[in-house]
Amino acid sequence: MQLHSFFNSSTSYRVRIALALKGLSYDYLPVNIRTGAHHEPQYVEHINPSAAVPALVDGDFRLGQSLAIVDYLDAVYPEPRLIPLDPHQRARVLELAYLVSCDMHPVNNLRVLRYLQDVLGASPEQKDAWYRHWITEGMAGVERLLARDRQGDWCFGDQPTLADCCLVPQIANALRMNCDLSAYPRSLEIYRRALEHPAFEVAQPQRQPDYVG
Amino acid sequence: MQLHSFFNSSTSYRVRIALALKGLSYDYLPVNIRTGAHHEPQYVEHINPSAAVPALVDGDFRLGQSLAIVDYLDAVYPEPRLIPLDPHQRARVLELAYLVSCDMHPVNNLRVLRYLQDVLGASPEQKDAWYRHWITEGMAGVERLLARDRQGDWCFGDQPTLADCCLVPQIANALRMNCDLSAYPRSLEIYRRALEHPAFEVAQPQRQPDYVG
């Protein structure tokens, strides 16, 4: 198996956690999205038509979109399951995963922040305020979902799920951008637990071969 | 079953299509996101902690996030299935659904366009250019995925799937914003087919009780 990944991409980070939780080994193929490597014709045509990271190659099968990759891994390499089979448990996990992946991350990723700066001429302060605004709105929702539905040590149970695979990179990103997350104690507790878990540890940006400090 | 929905919300529209494809009846509860009804304490506390539409209430079970709702409906009301069971077929459907739902829609939704205007002072022309930029980038990816993997009359097969439930509202939205989509013939063909399908027809914004022209 091969993973096309960028060390600092939250979406790549999610998949690295999932692969590590399942104990799957893979070749790490760096794609530098800062220099636009994900737009190179060879990559778009042969690896990922979405022109993004991550992309998984499993034999002849090529797949983009981090959440589709985790779902695929769960189908083909089901132990441990990251998306529960029970419809109600599963719904809770997906609800939180989508809150992070659809409502929070897309608005604050590299290409959007660059557009704000390069095309709209946003100042560093305006970019920071933008970033914090969506983090605050999203994390408030995450914390409310956890307050209502959390079970066990992780988001939803005593084992990590897709919800944790999404939440932890998002929190790492927010902390790197110096956001104050003290209003979200449940989320922070899960994040601190993840820091001590081997699968989350090995998936961190600074542990990847393409890491630049 | 009850659906908290806003007529013009693409994410509500996805779920309305899914409910119609499954032939499920429900009470339509309008949530006016233009006036901030999704932030009212009663709604956030008792219906949807994500403070967004849509939200499904099925007996005692309350669920937000459109894609989590479709997954739940597929588990509990499986006919017809909108997310295939076969791991590879399923991956293709989810990949396109996420390209629309994670890469395209979140950057162009109401709250983001409002922030651009109200906080960053973007002009109408700058807002339009922003909208078109992400549509162009996303639709190019959608069209490449369809060129590589499309099967049958719809995105992936002879019956609509979650991919179609996501793509059709996104195209309707782009056309409403006067985007030129002629470079994406596969996507447009699917959209035109959807216009003639009863489940897609009944789910359209202009068919909802809260529609305002």
Side-chain angles (χ1 to χ4, degrees), chain B residues 66-98:
Chain B
S66 61
L67 298 181
I69 294 171
V70 176
D71 183 279
Y72 170 79
L73 292 173
D74 240 21
V76 179
Y77 308 97
E79 291 304 321
R81 282 205 74 86
L82 302 179
I83 310 173
L85 289 175
D86 171 78
H88 296 89
Q89 282 287 327
R90 172 180 187 84
R92 292 279 88 99
V93 167
L94 291 177
E95 184 179 30
L96 196 143
Y98 293 140

Side-chain angles (χ1 to χ4, degrees), chain B residues 129-197:
Chain B
W130 167 283
Y131 186 93
R132 282 162 214 273
H133 176 79
W134 306 116
I135 288 291
T136 301
E137 198 163 281
M139 286 305 301
V142 167
E143 196 71 13
R144 284 191 298 261
L145 286 178
L146 291 173
R148 189 185 67 180
D149 301 318
R150 187 177 175 204
Q151 295 176 342
D153 283 343
W154 295 87
C155 287
F156 304 107
D158 285 327
Q159 299 297 327
T161 64
L162 174 65
D164 304 285
C165 296
C166 292
L167 182 59
V168 168
Q170 182 63 72
I171 292 184
N173 200 294
L175 292 174
R176 189 161 50 84
M177 300 289 275
N178 296 314
C179 292
D180 175 8
L181 302 182
S182 57
Y184 320 112
R186 293 173 186 83
S187 304
L188 276 182
E189 190 206 320
I190 292 162
Y191 178 72
R192 289 197 198 99
R193 175 160 291 114
L195 289 183
E196 297 176 1
H197 188 294

Side-chain angles (χ1 to χ4, degrees), chain A residues 159-171:
Chain A
Q159 299 297 327
T161 65
L162 173 65
D164 305 284
C165 294
C166 292
L167 181 59
V168 168
Q170 182 64 71
I171 292 183

